[in-house]
Amino acid sequence: MRLAGKKIVLGLTGGIACYKVAELTRALGKAGAQVQVVMTQAACQFITPVTMQALSGNTVFTDQWDARIGNNMPHIDLTRDADAIVIAPCSTDFLFKLAHGACDDLLSTLCIARPAHIPLLVAPAMNVEMWQNPATQRNVALCRADGIHLMGPAAGEQACGETGMGRMLEPDQLLSEIIASFQTKSLLGQHLLITAGPTFEPIDPVRGITNLSSGKMGYAIAQAAWEAGAQVTLISGPTALATPYGVKRVQVQTAQQMHDAVMAALKQQTQQAFIAVAAVADWRVANASTQKLKKTGEHDTPVLQFAQNPDILASVAALPDAPYCVGFAAESENLLEYAAAKRVRKNIPLLVGNIGHQTFGQDDNELVLFDAQGATQLPRADKQTLAIALIQELAKRLHA
Ligand code: C5P
């Protein structure tokens, strides 16, 4: 319920992407938002107010002369208790209207008449040539300069059969953008590198050694960091999780690959912080077979030999220009004592402790932050809530 208590005025303008906004309306409602739909006449050509009323659970407004509002001023009253106005899809024509302050229907008038503190988010949706047209790009620049937040568009196949920029973002991506718009931008412009998930160390081409890390905590942290305004690179071991929207994901399998990917990312871009959430295997199989091991006899068992993997966190912390390093410690007991000692041993400014078997694969967790000042508890909560709290704590330390 990441939008609990939020009121969103959702404006639809003319475009085939209107059908996707039906899905967005549901998603906003499921996230806890109250949705007030306003449609232009062109939008009504693509989807009916009946559909949008049923999905939003609220009366839909389409006309600036609508007498159902007591004072007959829907362009004022509809936004006064709103937390955000979202225009999706936003047509070429509507971008022009926003850029120039046109007020010739309810939705455009309502946008101009909104109080300055209400954010306006728009999701452009149009043909590639319409998007690339210099006139449109001029309007986009004017909208941006006025503080209007553009969500997308994306590139891809279009309803008209052409391909290129101009596709509206998908409903789940728009939802991520809307949720992010309400988050404190404590990491704006910062680059964060995060490892997450387990590693997989092959025994042979079909078998391997891994662990129970689901990747959920690391992915939640990556998402929270993006929501806080950071540019996030997520180096991930094998997980079943979807890449959080806005995050760049690099997929690896083994600890050595994770190490190499982390070092490559650091070379490519200076990172302000490195958060090592991954449950990295301490050992790999030194005598891994290139062919599948066969069961040859009744009592025959393969003998595996192990070699130590590089400690990624320690290698990064030892770099001369190391980013601010955050480690994770999954202990099975004596968390306070072991984790505090581990922070000093690993020579990192911040270590996040949790009880391993109580968190692996779970949706909630409990964290203790250890730094030079001592221990800070983040009480049991879902991993998303903890990730947001952890990112705020990190931001405080980065800015200190
Ligand atoms: O020493 P231990 O494995 O308990 O330390 C855990 C922390 O170190 C985690 O942050 C983990 O991501 C990181 N780590 C690593 N490379 C390893 C082992 C652990 O980056 N080979």
Side-chain angles (χ1 to χ4, degrees):
M1 297 293 265
R2 306 238 12 234
L3 293 174
K6 299 288 184 211
K7 181 181 166 187
I8 300 200
V9 172
L10 178 59
L12 282 75
T13 70
I16 186 60
C18 276
Y19 82 94
K20 292 189 188 174
V21 176
E23 197 72 46
L24 173 64
T25 307
R26 288 278 284 170
L28 289 169
K30 278 189 184 160
Q34 193 204 327
V35 183
Q36 172 61 64
V37 174
V38 178
M39 299 170 69
T40 64
Q41 287 305 319
C44 297
Q45 298 286 329
F46 291 91
I47 191 166
T48 69
V50 174
T51 301
M52 295 310 295
Q53 180 172 347
L55 292 172
S56 66
N58 286 311
T59 311
V60 170
F61 288 84
T62 59
D63 181 6
Q64 58 187 326
W65 312 118
D66 197 315
R68 287 172 298 175
I69 295 245
N71 61 4
N72 211 320
M73 294 190 198
H75 68 293
I76 304 292
D77 285 25
L78 291 179
T79 64
R80 286 309 179 260
D81 57 348
D83 295 290
I85 302 175
V86 176
I87 309 295
C90 183
S91 66
T92 318
D93 178 57
F94 203 77
L95 269 178
F96 159 76
K97 287 191 189 182
L98 288 177
H100 296 276
C103 308
D104 63 354
D105 62 3
L106 173 58
L107 189 58
S108 54
T109 312
L110 170 153
C111 287
I112 288 286
R114 79 187 187 283
H117 70 271
I118 300 182
L120 177 55
L121 289 74
V122 306
M126 63 198 72
N127 166 272
V128 52
E129 300 298 345
M130 294 171 85
W131 173 255
Q132 287 171 355
N133 190 290
T136 306
Q137 289 306 311
R138 278 197 299 276
N139 291 330
V140 165
L142 286 173
C143 285
R144 286 209 171 105
D146 284 347
I148 296 173
H149 177 65
L150 269 82
M151 306 185 286
E157 217 173 278
Q158 305 199 309
C160 52
E162 297 182 0
T163 306
M165 280 296 275
R167 266 177 72 96
M168 192 178 76
L169 295 186
E170 297 302 324
D172 58 331
Q173 299 176 325
L174 289 176
L175 182 67
S176 300
E177 289 267 6
I178 294 164
I179 289 171
S181 77
F182 290 113
Q183 305 305 311
T184 318
K185 300 295 169 202
S186 57
L187 292 179
L188 199 62
Q190 310 269 304
H191 288 84
L192 254 71
L193 183 61
I194 300 173
T195 64
T199 60
F200 180 93
E201 307 296 331
I203 294 171
D204 69 16
V206 294
R207 303 184 183 92
I209 296 172
T210 186
N211 60 63
L212 288 175
S213 167
S214 63
K216 283 179 186 170
M217 192 69 230
Y219 278 56
I221 291 169
Q223 187 180 335
W226 173 76
E227 288 176 0
Q231 298 210 33
V232 184
T233 306
L234 176 66
I235 316 276
S236 175
T239 74
L241 302 172
T243 308
Y245 175 70
V247 168
K248 179 182 163 198
R249 169 168 161 181
V250 179
Q251 191 63 45
V252 297
Q253 197 178 44
T254 67
Q256 186 64 52
Q257 289 168 357
M258 187 174 272
H259 171 274
D260 297 349
V262 163
M263 293 305 164
L266 286 168
K267 215 175 235 169
Q268 206 173 59
Q269 169 68 51
T270 305
Q271 304 284 336
Q272 275 69 46
F274 172 57
I275 314 182
V277 197
V280 185
D282 289 317
W283 304 282
R284 65 178 171 276
V285 179
N287 58 340
S289 170
T290 51
Q291 281 159 12
K292 187 182 169 191
L293 296 174
K294 293 280 181 213
K295 194 161 68 174
T296 47
E298 199 53 16
H299 304 291
D300 185 31
T301 53
V303 178
L304 299 182
Q305 281 153 12
F306 291 92
Q308 228 179 70
N309 275 327
D311 187 320
I312 304 167
L313 178 57
S315 321
V316 174
L319 292 172
D321 50 353
Y324 186 95
C325 285
V326 184
F328 265 69
E331 303 292 347
S332 57
E333 65 266 305
N334 286 347
L335 177 65
L336 290 184
E337 189 187 320
Y338 289 169
K342 183 172 286 184
R343 186 189 79 79
V344 176
R345 196 171 62 246
K346 294 227 170 198
N347 193 26
I348 53 173
L350 182 62
L351 187 118
V352 184
N354 57 38
I355 299 288
H357 59 278
Q358 287 175 7
T359 173
F360 277 15
Q362 308 286 314
D363 286 326
D364 62 355
N365 196 3
E366 201 177 318
L367 301 177
V368 191
L369 274 50
F370 299 89
D371 63 8
Q373 272 65 52
T376 315
Q377 300 260 357
L378 299 184
R380 182 157 285 278
D382 62 274
K383 288 183 176 172
Q384 197 61 55
T385 304
L386 285 172
I388 293 167
L390 175 60
I391 286 299
Q392 298 306 339
E393 291 286 337
L394 171 67
K396 264 197 262 171
R397 286 162 176 82
L398 283 179
H399 298 139

